[in-house]
Amino acid sequence: MAGRQKFSGPRMLISTGLIYAFVGALGLTVAQLTNAYMVLDPEVTMNRTYLGMGFSAFILVQGISAPLIGWTIAKKGARFSYMLGAVIVALLGAINALFLGNSVVLYVVGFGIIMSYGCMCAGAIPTMTTLNHWYIKHRGRAISISLIMAAA
């Protein structure tokens, strides 16, 4: 049995859970906290309505983009989706910090649409797809562990 490989599912579970926690779930949490503090910042010229509009667009795009991300995973694989999401979140996070505090349009498009798509590309959809492929018998247990890692 020299040719038999060891099952690397636990390593996959931990890595996908951490990616989902840091990119997917943390992006949503940071957005919730940041919106409350942006109102208090005198340099930000947007009011609570515009900040809420950006966050509403963020949530809306997460649902609308799911079929596109599923198609991307089917064609290119979950690894490509993870990398695409990480690049979008990293680049747009830096751009958001520098430029998006004064323009409502840039805020809604940059944060609400593009950042949301990046968070979903490296969030729940590739994580659940990967775990569904790796775990057949203990699928529910693997997904619940991943969700607990993202919530913690």
Side-chain angles (χ1 to χ4, degrees):
M1 292 273 182
R4 189 164 185 202
Q5 294 181 345
K6 184 180 174 186
F7 178 63
S8 58
R11 186 170 34 126
M12 182 65 66
L13 174 62
I14 291 171
S15 63
T16 58
L18 289 174
I19 292 170
Y20 178 40
F22 287 121
V23 178
L26 189 64
L28 185 61
T29 305
V30 168
Q32 291 171 340
L33 295 173
T34 304
N35 279 340
Y37 289 111
M38 284 177 71
V39 173
L40 303 174
D41 189 2
E43 292 182 10
V44 177
T45 58
M46 292 183 283
N47 61 19
R48 293 178 192 269
T49 304
Y50 295 136
L51 291 172
M53 185 178 6
F55 192 71
S56 296
F58 188 93
I59 299 298
L60 179 67
V61 169
Q62 284 192 332
I64 292 173
S65 66
L68 178 62
I69 296 168
W71 179 82
T72 303
I73 293 171
K75 294 294 182 187
K76 302 277 188 175
R79 181 181 296 171
F80 177 80
S81 180
Y82 278 127
M83 289 188 298
L84 178 65
V87 167
I88 289 172
V89 169
L91 289 177
L92 210 58
I95 292 170
N96 282 348
L98 296 174
F99 300 112
L100 299 183
N102 296 327
S103 172
V104 175
V105 174
L106 287 177
Y107 175 70
V108 171
V109 171
F111 170 74
I113 297 173
I114 301 171
M115 180 70 89
S116 175
Y117 182 75
C119 286
M120 282 302 284
C121 279
I125 297 172
T127 299
M128 300 309 148
T129 303
T130 303
L131 294 178
N132 277 327
H133 286 294
W134 276 79
Y135 286 91
I136 303 301
K137 189 175 179 183
H138 300 289
R139 182 176 295 157
R141 185 179 301 155
I143 289 173
S144 67
I145 291 170
S146 174
L147 291 173
I148 289 169
M149 289 175 69

